[in-house]
Amino acid sequence: FTCRPSVKQGWGCVSNPGKNLLVGCLWETEQYPWTCIWREAKENNPAALGIEFGTSPFGGPLEQIRARGKVLNRPVIEVLQADETVEKTFYLFLQKIPTNYAGVQHVEFRQGQLTITERKHSGSAE
């Protein structure tokens, strides 16, 4: 999937309540316009969860990806020439969370400061 053009930063988080830890990533959607969230099961039990952000929403042969052109008005591949250099940035973070953590509502990185906003707890006053 891709974010609305007005969204400048994409993010994804997973938590381990048993360890009281939250792991997340944040990226500029202009640099990485596509995100894929996948799950894997083994013997009908959850085994893995992945959040991938990148420059293409598709896998497969390069010729087939290139032939798609644009999807949702965004390019589906980024091609660099042999002597071309591109610099991109993303952020990974690890945060201690309380036992009753309700989940993440929003993540933002602005002026060198990471802000993680927790969801409201069920039954809490708004």
Side-chain angles (χ1 to χ4, degrees):
F1 68 89
T2 187
C3 291
R4 294 181 309 276
S6 62
V7 175
K8 303 302 179 199
Q9 294 179 332
W11 57 271
C13 298
V14 294
S15 64
N16 182 329
K19 301 283 185 189
N20 295 89
L21 291 175
L22 174 77
V23 177
C25 51
L26 180 133
W27 60 92
E28 301 295 324
T29 58
E30 184 176 296
Q31 293 180 12
Y32 303 102
W34 298 101
T35 306
C36 179
I37 299 173
W38 55 268
R39 291 180 276 185
E40 182 178 332
K42 291 186 179 177
E43 298 177 11
N44 291 327
N45 292 312
L49 171 69
I51 302 170
E52 299 176 9
F53 53 94
T55 58
S56 180
F58 305 112
L62 180 59
E63 299 78 27
Q64 289 177 5
I65 297 171
R66 265 194 171 156
R68 294 177 190 247
K70 288 187 173 189
V71 172
L72 300 173
N73 205 29
R74 296 208 180 200
V76 296
I77 194 164
E78 183 175 346
V79 178
L80 302 178
Q81 299 303 318
D83 61 348
E84 195 173 359
T85 301
V86 173
E87 186 174 314
K88 295 183 182 238
T89 303
F90 61 89
Y91 304 93
L92 299 174
F93 53 90
L94 178 66
Q95 176 71 39
K96 192 166 178 72
I97 56 174
T99 303
N100 65 345
Y101 195 73
V104 177
Q105 178 69 39
H106 185 73
V107 177
E108 183 177 48
F109 186 74
R110 186 183 298 175
Q111 298 177 341
Q113 180 72 35
L114 178 68
T115 303
I116 304 167
T117 304
E118 183 179 1
R119 286 186 189 148
K120 293 189 185 316
H121 287 267
S122 299
S124 65
E126 299 218 15

